[in-house]
Amino acid sequence: MSADKKIIVDVNDLRFLDNENNPTGTLLRPVDTATLLKECFWIEFELSRMSIGWTSGAPSWDWKGELVRMGYLHTEHMKRLEVRIAELPGGAISDRSWTPEHISNVFVNAALAPAFPEFAAAYRSMVTKLYAHYARLADSLDPILDWPTLDVLRFIEMDNKQLCSWGDAHVRFAYSESPENRVRFESWSRYIDRLWGTLFSNQPVEEWTDRLKYPPQGPVPATPAHDVRYPHVDLSKYKSAMFDPNSPTYDSVKHMVYINASEMSATESLTYLYYGVQKMPMDFYYDIARHTWDEARHSQMGVRRLKQMGYQTEDFPWHPSNALTPDNLERTFPEFYSTLTMVMEPCSFIKKRKSIDAFKHFGDDLSALQSEYDIADERLHVNFGKKWGAKLFENINDFVTAVSVAERAKELHLQKMGYSQEEINGALNNFPEFCGFATMDLEYERY
């Protein structure tokens, strides 16, 4: 070969890998694996939307927390799948991507359950079939050539038992005392089995013949289901449950623990946001799923600590959850999401830091530790608000930047609490003073 002859190689020319018309029999090429993983990615997303979307339809506080956790786990699977898909030819998941219509249609229909047991049956059936699908996919992969994909599937497999077994208690004896409802339940279960079959075929999604007779009760119902063990505060007297002096912890630092416990109402409102807002970048759903799960965890840690202190949930008033729907979307953002991430959470740092010192003074290390973890989580949430606040409703003229969103959120919050415009103007530019207006302080000297 001539010494001056040059060989030019374009290392970015991978078109031969993207050629889907080059079959290799039963062996999966990288482009084939990417296609199969994309299907799994979107199924995981729809299962996440399904479980989080039905949180507000769950009549038990415990079930609400379980469903949020499950939805969050699905997004953790999505993150691993997305990374592996981007490594393979065939095109990565872009910010503009959304669930393909043939998958979306299946899960929209599966989510429109006539009651909570039917939802549990649908979720259990779909997630169990997904794990069977993963098992078949793993069997078809070369154990050396596609070891990276097998590692992703190994990570997802860790949650198999938790996700697939959750519905057992709701399904096994569903309507055993109601023959009429049992007939409906069995009809629904057969329908769900048929729905899954349409995912991998060209068959159109069918309708459940009893739909008109039994309208859906979820997801994101117009009125959230209420657990009677958490009696609602009288909102005609108090703007928030935390201000009700009937709480047994009202005049002590232990009220901080109760405030943690009450965060299920924020959890449920976030579930409406997660299910209802469409076609945002995938990072938005990852962040909101994490935020929603954190709020549920805070409620769980607060309720656990109250019970350890000898209280029962019936001893306290609880703030009702708000149903957020497309018809009040323009109010949803300024009155809920921005207020949560740009007012309530940053302002809460002040009393949580004081609470840590007070709890340690009284020898209550566990309550102090709760507030430390709470602050760590809510630093994330404030950043979520800055990241997504303006983008979430960027078409609303009043909200253009994160700064303007934050200022408008603060003003609206103080207006709702009944302060005059003069008082609001004086407080807005002074953060400690603003937080003194916006949230209650605690009796740190009393335990």
Side-chain angles (χ1 to χ4, degrees):
M1 181 182 294
S2 173
D4 60 354
K5 188 172 183 179
K6 296 180 180 179
I7 299 176
I8 299 175
V9 177
D10 182 359
V11 297
N12 295 313
D13 184 4
L14 302 176
R15 286 173 294 178
F16 71 99
L17 288 175
D18 293 329
N19 180 10
E20 298 180 16
N21 298 315
N22 184 19
T24 54
T26 59
L27 300 175
L28 292 179
R29 300 176 63 229
V31 67
D32 301 325
T33 302
T35 298
L36 293 171
L37 292 183
K38 283 181 182 178
E39 287 181 334
C40 296
F41 176 90
W42 293 117
I43 291 171
E44 292 275 8
F45 182 45
E46 291 301 320
L47 283 169
S48 174
R49 296 182 68 242
M50 192 171 174
S51 56
I52 291 179
W54 260 91
T55 299
S56 54
S60 162
W61 176 90
D62 306 271
W63 302 349
K64 294 177 191 295
E66 292 164 3
L67 287 170
V68 170
R69 168 68 178 172
M70 288 154 50
Y72 166 75
L73 290 178
H74 286 298
T75 63
E76 290 297 290
H77 300 170
M78 291 169 65
K79 291 178 187 178
R80 298 295 182 107
L81 290 166
E82 185 175 9
V83 169
R84 181 57 181 152
I85 290 167
E87 295 170 348
L88 296 166
I93 305 292
S94 75
D95 275 354
R96 298 292 180 183
S97 298
W98 191 250
T99 311
E101 188 174 2
H102 74 283
I103 295 177
S104 176
N105 287 342
V106 166
F107 283 90
V108 166
N109 279 274
L112 295 173
F116 192 79
E118 281 84 351
F119 153 72
Y123 176 83
R124 178 177 182 260
S125 175
M126 293 295 189
V127 77
T128 301
K129 288 178 170 60
L130 174 60
Y131 270 101
H133 185 69
Y134 278 133
R136 289 191 295 272
L137 175 58
D139 285 344
S140 67
L141 298 175
D142 186 288
I144 294 179
L145 301 181
D146 211 354
W147 204 330
T149 298
L150 287 168
D151 273 343
V152 172
L153 299 186
R154 179 169 54 86
F155 173 84
I156 294 172
E157 176 63 25
M158 289 192 299
D159 299 319
N160 184 336
K161 184 176 180 180
Q162 178 179 351
L163 298 177
C164 290
S165 66
W166 173 80
D168 289 353
H170 305 283
V171 170
R172 192 171 301 278
F173 301 108
Y175 305 118
S176 58
E177 305 301 322
S178 174
E180 180 181 351
N181 285 341
R182 185 67 191 182
V183 169
R184 182 187 73 191
F185 179 84
E186 291 172 350
S187 169
W188 172 262
S189 298
R190 291 191 297 271
Y191 166 66
I192 293 299
D193 285 339
R194 294 194 302 272
L195 264 186
W196 179 269
T198 68
L199 272 177
F200 308 105
S201 70
N202 294 320
Q203 296 297 320
V205 174
E206 60 182 303
E207 181 57 273
W208 186 43
T209 55
D210 287 338
R211 178 77 71 203
L212 294 179
K213 193 190 308 183
Y214 305 110
Q217 300 302 305
V220 288
T223 303
H226 174 219
D227 189 330
V228 295
R229 297 172 298 169
Y230 295 76
H232 285 165
V233 68
D234 184 351
L235 289 178
S236 67
K237 295 181 179 179
Y238 310 103
K239 294 182 182 297
S240 169
M242 74 174 70
F243 295 106
D244 188 342
N246 293 316
S247 291
T249 57
Y250 182 78
D251 57 355
S252 76
V253 70
K254 289 187 288 188
H255 207 53
M256 186 68 253
V257 177
Y258 160 70
I259 292 172
N260 288 147
S262 68
E263 291 184 30
M264 191 59 80
S265 63
T267 303
E268 290 196 75
S269 293
L270 280 168
T271 66
Y272 284 84
L273 194 69
Y274 186 86
Y275 191 89
V277 176
Q278 307 272 308
K279 299 185 179 179
M280 289 284 284
M282 276 300 128
D283 280 353
F284 169 80
Y285 299 99
Y286 299 157
D287 289 347
I288 297 298
R290 170 61 192 272
H291 190 170
T292 307
W293 177 54
D294 283 347
E295 299 295 345
R297 278 176 47 239
H298 297 167
S299 183
Q300 290 167 344
M301 73 188 189
V303 169
R304 179 183 69 176
R305 190 74 188 110
L306 289 177
K307 290 182 176 180
Q308 289 169 340
M309 292 172 171
Y311 300 110
Q312 298 299 318
T313 59
E314 290 86 350
D315 299 334
F316 296 85
W318 301 90
H319 201 86
S321 302
N322 292 319
L324 310 179
T325 55
D327 61 314
N328 68 11
L329 201 57
E330 291 191 11
R331 297 194 307 277
T332 296
F333 176 60
E335 294 183 5
F336 170 65
Y337 183 70
S338 61
T339 300
L340 179 65
T341 58
M342 300 180 188
V343 177
M344 303 305 293
E345 293 187 317
C347 282
S348 73
F349 289 178
I350 298 172
K351 63 173 174 282
K352 286 171 185 174
R353 287 171 181 149
K354 291 181 180 179
S355 296
I356 291 169
D357 292 336
F359 282 130
K360 288 181 177 177
H361 172 75
F362 290 112
D364 187 349
D365 290 337
L366 182 54
S367 295
L369 193 60
Q370 282 191 183
S371 288
E372 289 191 39
Y373 276 102
D374 194 356
I375 290 174
D377 291 337
E378 293 194 342
R379 287 175 60 196
L380 284 178
H381 306 164
V382 172
N383 288 331
F384 292 162
K386 292 176 180 177
K387 180 178 178 181
W388 299 115
K391 185 156 184 74
L392 186 57
F393 292 103
E394 59 189 4
N395 294 325
I396 296 178
N397 293 331
D398 289 341
F399 304 117
V400 179
T401 68
V403 172
S404 65
V405 167
E407 290 305 305
R408 183 62 177 148
K410 292 175 183 177
E411 186 171 1
L412 282 169
H413 185 68
L414 294 185
Q415 286 174 352
K416 285 185 68 178
M417 297 186 73
Y419 293 107
S420 69
Q421 192 61 46
E422 183 179 357
E423 290 174 310
I424 292 171
N425 293 339
L428 281 179
N429 295 322
N430 185 323
F431 190 72
E433 183 178 348
F434 167 77
C435 287
F437 277 87
T439 63
M440 72 177 297
D441 208 358
L442 304 177
E443 297 287 345
Y444 301 103
E445 306 301 319
R446 299 185 62 179
Y447 183 73

